[in-house]
Amino acid sequence: MPDIFGDLREWGAVLIQIKRLRLSEHLDEHQEGLIRILRYRYNWQLRQAALRAVADLRNPSKDLFEVLLAIVTDEHSDLDTRLLACDAVRRVVALSQAQGGIDHFEPAAAQRAAEFLRVPQPPVLREAVEQWSVTEREPAARLV
């Protein structure tokens, strides 16, 4: 499906579009646009709205998951955005596990977390990344 978000400099309209898609449950059809928003570094409000919207996805794509992991490990992103990305990663992994299919995301998340945690990180970020490995021990319903 084509990217319907248009000019991201018109961020008010984009925020409204994200909200409409979340309410209508059509966000899954617009993941390419969400990915573009997540890669757009010039408006933290857009990025954070897109990160929050990940919770409403029913079938997150591998490309979207990779962008989430990139945000978590991006030292140039603000801490709030990185923490929201951690939560989005945790939700995607939990959703994948809850659906009972082959978990495409958990091994990649575990590998990236191990690499990331080899170096010192702010305690709150370290704790958020460590949550990825906890998801399989907690009921998925509490996480999603």
Side-chain angles (χ1 to χ4, degrees):
M1 188 153 257
D3 182 345
I4 62 168
F5 293 107
D7 186 354
L8 298 182
R9 293 175 296 180
E10 300 292 331
W11 60 274
V14 177
L15 289 174
I16 291 169
Q17 188 72 308
I18 291 171
K19 184 176 181 178
R20 285 183 183 154
L21 290 171
R22 289 180 82 175
L23 291 172
S24 68
E25 299 182 355
H26 288 288
L27 201 55
D28 278 278
E29 300 161 21
H30 300 282
Q31 289 188 54
E32 289 302 316
L34 278 181
I35 290 169
R36 184 168 67 96
I37 293 169
L38 291 170
R39 289 181 176 149
Y40 186 69
R41 298 174 170 269
Y42 303 108
N43 189 308
W44 63 270
Q45 292 170 311
L46 286 180
R47 288 182 95 195
Q48 289 186 6
L51 288 167
R52 286 184 187 96
V54 169
D56 294 330
L57 293 173
R58 293 181 307 271
N59 190 19
S61 71
K62 184 177 185 223
D63 291 339
L64 181 111
F65 186 69
E66 288 297 323
V67 170
L68 296 175
L69 291 173
I71 291 171
V72 170
T73 59
D74 181 6
E75 295 178 1
H76 299 291
S77 287
D78 64 277
L79 187 57
D80 287 340
T81 300
R82 293 172 78 187
L83 289 171
L84 283 170
C86 283
D87 186 57
V89 168
R90 184 181 58 79
R91 287 175 179 275
V92 169
V93 169
L95 178 64
S96 179
Q97 291 171 342
Q99 290 175 342
I102 297 173
D103 188 350
H104 302 285
F105 301 120
E106 203 270 332
Q111 178 184 355
R112 192 72 66 94
E115 293 168 3
F116 182 72
L117 295 174
R118 283 190 192 125
V119 297
Q121 300 295 337
V124 68
L125 188 57
R126 175 174 286 281
E127 184 178 316
V129 170
E130 288 171 346
Q131 292 295 311
W132 301 348
S133 61
V134 174
T135 56
E136 62 187 310
R137 290 182 241 129
E138 293 183 2
R142 283 187 31 209
L143 299 173
V144 197

